[in-house]
Amino acid sequence: MIGKILKKFDDRFLKSEPRTGKLFAVAALYDTPDQIIHAAEKVSGSGYKKFDVLTPYPVHGMDGAMNLKPTGIGWVGLIAGMSGTFLAFLMIWWMVGINYPNIFGGKPYFNLPASIPIMFELTVLLSALTLVGSLIALFMKLPANANPLMDTEFIKRVTSDKFGIYIEASDPKFKLEEVRKLFEELGSTDISNIHEAEYEVGDTKNPLMNTKFVGALVGTSLVTAAVTYFVLNVLLFLPPFNWMHYQPKVLPQTESKFFKDGYSMRKPVEGTVARGFMPYEFKGMPDSLVVATPNPLPVTQKVLDLGKKRYNTYCSPCHGNYGKGDSRLRGQFPVPPTLHSQKVTNWKDANIYHVITNGQNTMPSYASSISRDDRWAIIHYLRVLQRSANAPDSDVEGK
């Protein structure tokens, strides 16, 4: 059964095309890369224009031997890639800045660093698709996708273990005997004449307008759309695939009929403590009751860099870049006191940690914004600022 199917397939698709008596080209096979390089140099140097070389793998130096001009495919890729970059930039700018603006962390609507990955992806995608389409449609001259070399012994050998060259009969210098003699002098032992094939053109010579081809494209599109619609809208809601969809759950921003207030999202029960987390024991207490525990972080360059980064993010807008109370908000908020006062300088690290965690006066609590280690790192960096503003002579190098 399978043998009959394969034979029918071979008879239908792998049969040899009948040949006409019109000569297409003279082809020659060589055994080594050096021979084909030498043959290409001689053919191009003899003034032939319509010839080509086929090898089972890329041969270094072939472009120079064939005297080929640089291809324009690189410019196509560059223009397509730049178009992808511009379209991605325009799309993101319009969506986040015009169509659906949202504020994330006080950042501007259009954030270029966050948009670069999408711009890069669209650049690569558009460039790749355009290059493939251009290669097939323009450089390979679609729909002229048939070639007399196909289904010949020459093309079978150059795609496996031989190196081949052929000169087309339409070349202005082509003379059959001269070409065959040239190939013989170059060391080829397998020279063949390749004739034009009789193609079954069907109803039209343009396959893009062939009704069967267009029908196959439309049919494939419809089947793909139907299967996708069925899977996403029907199959996933049938047993046993719907067990997660119909489980007891509450969807975001939906009304709850279980709780009286109608809210689905509930606050944790008062006094709830997350596993592995120890609450701050002095929360809500006055500063005088704080036990002066030491800073758990060591004073290292890494910790100071972390403290500087967090200080500049959360503290410097009000306290200033150097903690002098010179707010960077240009008077839009109450100006806080300097962090170089005698009170703060003499405070233990635990007292400063307590203020950051609990807040003080108009300063809110930063417990939910800054992690515990980051708070301790900020204190180390603050000590550096205080020391630099009142550095003793012993800190100066050489004294």
Side-chain angles (χ1 to χ4, degrees):
M1 180 66 180
I2 297 178
K4 292 181 179 179
I5 296 175
L6 292 177
K7 185 177 184 306
K8 189 174 182 180
F9 179 83
D10 290 347
D11 294 341
R12 175 68 179 85
F13 297 102
L14 300 182
K15 65 180 180 181
S16 300
E17 296 285 353
R19 297 285 168 168
T20 67
K22 184 179 179 181
L23 183 65
F24 168 71
V26 174
L29 294 174
Y30 295 89
D31 297 326
T32 66
D34 291 340
Q35 285 183 316
I36 196 65
I37 286 282
H38 180 61
E41 290 175 341
K42 286 294 183 181
V43 170
S44 63
S46 299
Y48 291 101
K49 302 298 181 184
K50 295 186 176 181
F51 74 95
D52 204 354
V53 175
L54 295 93
T55 59
Y57 56 82
V59 177
H60 180 70
M62 184 56 72
D63 291 356
M66 296 176 65
N67 197 23
L68 294 179
K69 297 179 180 179
T71 176
I73 193 70
W75 288 102
V76 176
L78 176 63
I79 294 173
M82 296 302 296
S83 300
T85 304
F86 176 73
L87 289 176
F89 177 87
L90 188 64
M91 176 187 69
I92 299 171
W93 169 80
W94 182 80
M95 287 193 300
V96 302
I98 305 298
N99 187 48
Y100 198 73
N102 274 308
I103 298 177
F104 296 99
K107 299 176 181 177
Y109 293 140
F110 177 73
N111 191 3
L112 180 60
S115 306
I116 288 179
I118 301 175
M119 296 167 62
F120 170 77
E121 295 291 345
L122 199 58
T123 300
V124 175
L125 177 64
L126 200 61
S127 178
L129 293 179
T130 304
L131 283 177
V132 173
S134 301
L135 188 65
I136 296 175
L138 299 179
F139 289 86
M140 298 180 68
K141 301 178 180 178
L142 189 75
N145 56 355
N147 192 294
L149 293 177
M150 299 301 172
D151 196 30
T152 62
E153 186 64 22
F154 172 78
I155 203 69
K156 294 177 183 176
R157 301 303 301 273
V158 298
T159 54
S160 58
D161 61 346
K162 294 291 183 180
F163 304 85
I165 184 171
Y166 69 90
I167 301 176
E168 296 185 20
S170 58
D171 190 286
K173 287 196 61 179
F174 183 85
K175 292 181 180 179
L176 178 60
E177 295 304 324
E178 292 183 3
V179 172
R180 294 187 68 91
K181 183 179 180 181
L182 175 62
F183 286 157
E184 289 177 0
E185 292 175 351
L186 293 174
S188 174
T189 57
D190 190 343
I191 303 174
S192 58
N193 296 339
I194 299 176
H195 295 84
E196 297 280 1
E198 294 180 359
Y199 299 112
E200 294 182 3
V201 297
D203 299 332
T204 175
K205 294 183 179 180
N206 189 344
L208 292 179
M209 301 304 296
N210 186 284
T211 54
K212 294 181 180 179
F213 177 72
V214 175
L217 287 180
V218 174
T220 303
S221 303
L222 293 177
V223 170
T224 303
V227 171
T228 303
Y229 179 85
F230 173 77
V231 170
L232 298 181
N233 295 278
V234 180
L235 181 62
L236 294 181
F237 296 93
L238 296 176
F241 306 105
N242 61 348
W243 63 275
M244 292 188 66
H245 184 73
Y246 292 110
Q247 64 178 312
K249 61 184 178 181
V250 176
L251 296 177
Q253 299 184 1
T254 56
E255 181 184 3
S256 172
K257 297 181 180 179
F258 182 79
F259 298 105
K260 291 182 178 179
D261 57 6
Y263 288 97
S264 300
M265 182 176 292
R266 315 303 301 178
K267 292 183 178 179
V269 177
E270 188 70 25
T272 302
V273 177
R275 178 175 296 179
F277 176 78
M278 181 60 70
Y280 182 57
E281 59 183 316
F282 303 110
K283 181 180 179 181
M285 297 182 181
D287 177 69
S288 58
L289 297 179
V290 174
V291 176
T293 55
N295 194 323
L297 299 184
V299 182
T300 63
Q301 188 61 48
K302 183 178 180 181
V303 171
L304 292 178
D305 290 341
L306 174 64
K308 179 181 180 180
K309 185 175 182 180
R310 295 293 182 265
Y311 175 89
N312 289 337
T313 301
Y314 296 102
C315 309
S316 68
C318 293
H319 289 284
N321 290 325
Y322 302 103
K324 297 181 179 179
D326 49 345
S327 170
R328 298 193 290 113
L329 301 179
R330 299 179 181 277
Q332 299 181 54
F333 289 91
V335 178
T338 175
L339 297 177
H340 296 275
S341 64
Q342 187 175 7
K343 174 186 176 183
V344 180
T345 303
N346 293 333
W347 258 355
K348 302 295 184 182
D349 288 357
N351 297 109
I352 302 176
Y353 182 89
H354 181 76
V355 173
I356 298 175
T357 304
N358 264 348
Q360 188 179 66
N361 299 326
T362 58
M363 172 180 166
S365 168
Y366 282 84
S368 61
S369 305
I370 310 175
S371 68
R372 293 186 173 189
D373 284 349
D374 287 359
R375 281 175 250 168
W376 289 116
I378 289 175
I379 296 171
H380 273 322
Y381 179 68
L382 174 60
R383 296 305 189 194
V384 172
L385 293 179
Q386 293 173 339
R387 183 65 176 253
S388 63
N390 300 282
D393 292 342
S394 58
D395 287 355
V396 180
E397 186 176 1
K399 291 189 176 182

